[in-house]
Structures are given as C-alpha cells and as structure tokens.
Amino acid sequence: MTEGYILNTVQTPGPLRTVYDSIDRGNTTEEEIADDTDLPEDLRSQGVRGLQELGMIGRQEPDYYTAEFAWETGNRDLDFRMTALHNLAIEATPGEWGKQSVVLLNYQYLLQEDIQHLHASDQVLYEAIDKWEHEQREYRPRSQQGPITLNEPKFVNWTRLADFLGLIEKATGREYVVYPDPEMILESLRIATGDERRIAIQEYIDWLQENLLLIDLTGERDVPAPFARTLYNLIREEKIKLVEYGDAGVVRLDRSPRRSGMEKDANSIEVIA
C-alpha cells in the first residue's frame, strides 16, 4: 500500500487515540475495532490510516497491532502524543525527509520565523511555509497524482493535528497560539536530563531535533520566542531553572524578561520538579 499523506488522511484527530486504545485492548480486526469503538466508518478509517502513517500501528493480515510507546511516563495521553511526535522526528532527516515530515517542518517554520499566533486560513502563511519547505528544506512530497502543495484544507488539518499533539493551543475558531504544551516539554526535559537532572541548552535542542521536534537556536544563540515562552512559564512555576554550568556557550530565551531562576550567563537547564 502506498503511504498516504497525513494532512489528507486525518481531518479529525480524536479517533487516533480511540482506535489505538481499542487495538491495544485486543480488538485487532476491522470488525472488532468497529464493534468496540462504535465510530462511523469515515472516522474509524481516519484513525486506522492516520496511526499507520504515524508509525503507531502495524498489520499482519487480518490483525492490527500497536507499536510500543517511545517512553512510559505514567501519563498515557502524554505517552501517546510524545510517541507520535517521536515517530515523526526520527523520519524527519534532512535530504531524506519522511513523507509525514510536513507536520514538524510546518512547526519549525513557525518557531524560526517567530510566529506566535496564526489563523488556519492564512493563505500568505501557508504559501510561505510551502515555499520555504520546497526551496530551503528541499522537502517535496508526492502522491500518485503528483507533487503535494500545502493549501488551505491541508493547513486546516495540520492545525487540528498540531493542537491535538500539543504543539499549538486553540484560542478561538481557527485562531491558534504557538505554545508547546508545558507538561510535554517538562517531561521531555526529565527524559533528556536523566539522572543528572541538568542539560546544556544546546544539547537539549539537539535532543529535541533527534527525538521530538525540529527546532534551532535563532539570532545570537536564542531559544525561539514561542518555545521560550513555555520554558519561561516552567521557570516561573519553579519546575525548572536556567543555570550556568560547565563551559557551554550562553543561551538566552528570546524576548523573555529576567527573573529569579534565570542566572545571568545561563547555558543549562536544571529540572527541579
């Protein structure tokens, strides 16, 4: 079967979790999934195909099976979302982009260009993203009908999926705030720091690139403002702090005021909660 394109496949992300949980409970055939979930055929199909495109289920005829979560955090919802992002990240390799890399590349553009609010129907924005992905990232997905272009329906579907995965937050209607879920980012820091509970900020950015998100430092070693806002709020809530440790270069949170918990020449993140 030719791999689909997730922004065509998934218009309603909710069934992804419903179908995954059903299969994980032992409902492994089409008929069993239909009986267990009571989802309409269209939503059930979106769930099954979307999970396949996210690498979260496989199939040995006639049975589906679930892939293991990348991490076990004790929060099943978080495990599901982080595993989906992890599977996207490990396939998002420059020069050899996976077909579903669009999910993370769209987000990388928003972070890189300091876009903190967006509208799902913003033609100027999605056309700029499409051009950047083709020309700057050489990402050119294709279907059986030819090259795939990021248009309004696909971008609307992306916003729904990105909201579901915790990358953006719905404000109202089709308006969204670019604000990664603080709980997910805190958990990623716990995983990345391990027993040390501390990591150089550049090393954490590298870890995210490999495991969760496409993100780069901007300007003069600044964490992009939309992502920095989540880190800042975690500092304010005394979940993490920025410290100077070792000889790694100083990294700043773009457009964030100084406060307690942020050392002047900080280069590392320390997890304290």
Side-chain angles (χ1 to χ4, degrees), residues 255-270:
R255 294 166 60 177
S256 298
R258 287 282 303 282
R259 60 161 296 121
S260 61
M262 298 171 64
E263 295 183 3
K264 181 176 180 295
D265 294 320
N267 58 12
S268 301
I269 300 174
E270 187 171 302

Side-chain angles (χ1 to χ4, degrees), residues 22-267:
S22 179
I23 296 170
D24 206 44
R25 287 193 300 268
N27 301 291
T28 60
T29 67
E30 294 278 4
E31 295 76 12
E32 289 171 343
I33 296 167
D35 291 342
D36 182 59
T37 63
D38 202 30
L39 287 169
E41 182 178 356
D42 175 59
L43 293 182
R44 190 173 68 252
S45 176
Q46 284 189 49
V48 169
R49 291 169 56 208
L51 288 168
Q52 289 176 311
E53 289 161 12
L54 288 170
M56 297 191 71
I57 63 171
R59 192 177 194 186
Q60 291 182 330
E61 294 282 358
D63 296 303
Y64 292 99
Y65 59 90
T66 56
E68 293 184 359
F69 288 144
W71 302 283
E72 297 282 353
T73 68
N75 182 327
R76 188 172 176 82
D77 177 63
L78 199 57
D79 294 345
F80 180 91
R81 290 187 287 121
M82 291 181 70
T83 297
L85 289 170
H86 178 70
N87 290 350
L88 292 169
I90 61 178
E91 293 294 329
T93 304
E96 299 179 0
W97 298 108
K99 194 168 188 177
Q100 315 311 336
S101 295
V102 64
V103 178
L104 298 185
L105 283 169
N106 285 3
Y107 198 61
Q108 185 180 35
Y109 181 88
L110 299 179
L111 296 178
Q112 178 176 305
E113 298 300 319
D114 192 17
I115 296 171
Q116 300 191 45
H117 300 85
L118 66 96
H119 192 286
S121 301
D122 186 341
Q123 182 177 358
V124 173
L125 176 59
Y126 63 70
E127 288 184 351
I129 294 173
D130 192 58
K131 181 179 180 180
W132 174 79
E133 290 175 351
H134 291 177
E135 296 181 1
Q136 302 300 317
R137 291 296 182 262
E138 298 186 344
Y139 169 70
R140 299 183 176 91
R142 299 182 64 86
S143 69
Q144 292 179 333
Q145 288 71 45
I148 299 173
T149 299
L150 189 62
N151 56 20
E152 182 174 336
K154 294 181 181 65
F155 195 58
V156 169
N157 290 346
W158 178 83
T159 60
R160 292 170 179 158
L161 182 60
D163 182 27
F164 176 78
L165 293 175
L167 301 181
I168 61 178
E169 189 175 278
K170 189 169 186 175
T172 180
R174 290 187 173 185
E175 298 276 355
Y176 294 86
V177 178
V178 182
Y179 183 68
D181 174 21
E183 184 180 15
M184 179 171 70
I185 299 309
L186 178 59
E187 195 58 55
S188 75
L189 280 163
R190 289 175 178 143
I191 296 167
T193 59
D195 294 337
E196 294 293 323
R197 307 286 281 182
R198 185 191 303 115
I199 190 170
I201 299 172
Q202 180 63 69
E203 290 182 21
Y204 175 56
I205 295 296
D206 294 343
W207 185 92
L208 288 172
Q209 287 268 13
E210 294 178 5
N211 291 283
L212 210 64
L213 301 173
L214 300 182
I215 177 174
D216 293 303
L217 297 179
T218 60
E220 298 181 3
R221 295 181 61 79
D222 295 327
V223 176
F227 194 89
R229 189 166 63 250
T230 291
L231 294 180
Y232 185 84
N233 286 336
L234 289 172
I235 294 167
R236 182 173 55 83
E237 294 169 4
E238 299 184 344
K239 301 290 181 64
I240 65 172
K241 59 183 178 180
L242 300 191
V243 299
E244 182 181 3
Y245 184 81
D247 56 3
V250 175
V251 178
R252 293 171 291 271
L253 302 186
D254 189 25
R255 294 166 60 177
S256 298
R258 287 282 303 282
R259 60 161 296 121
S260 61
M262 298 171 64
E263 295 183 3
K264 181 176 180 295
D265 294 320
N267 58 12

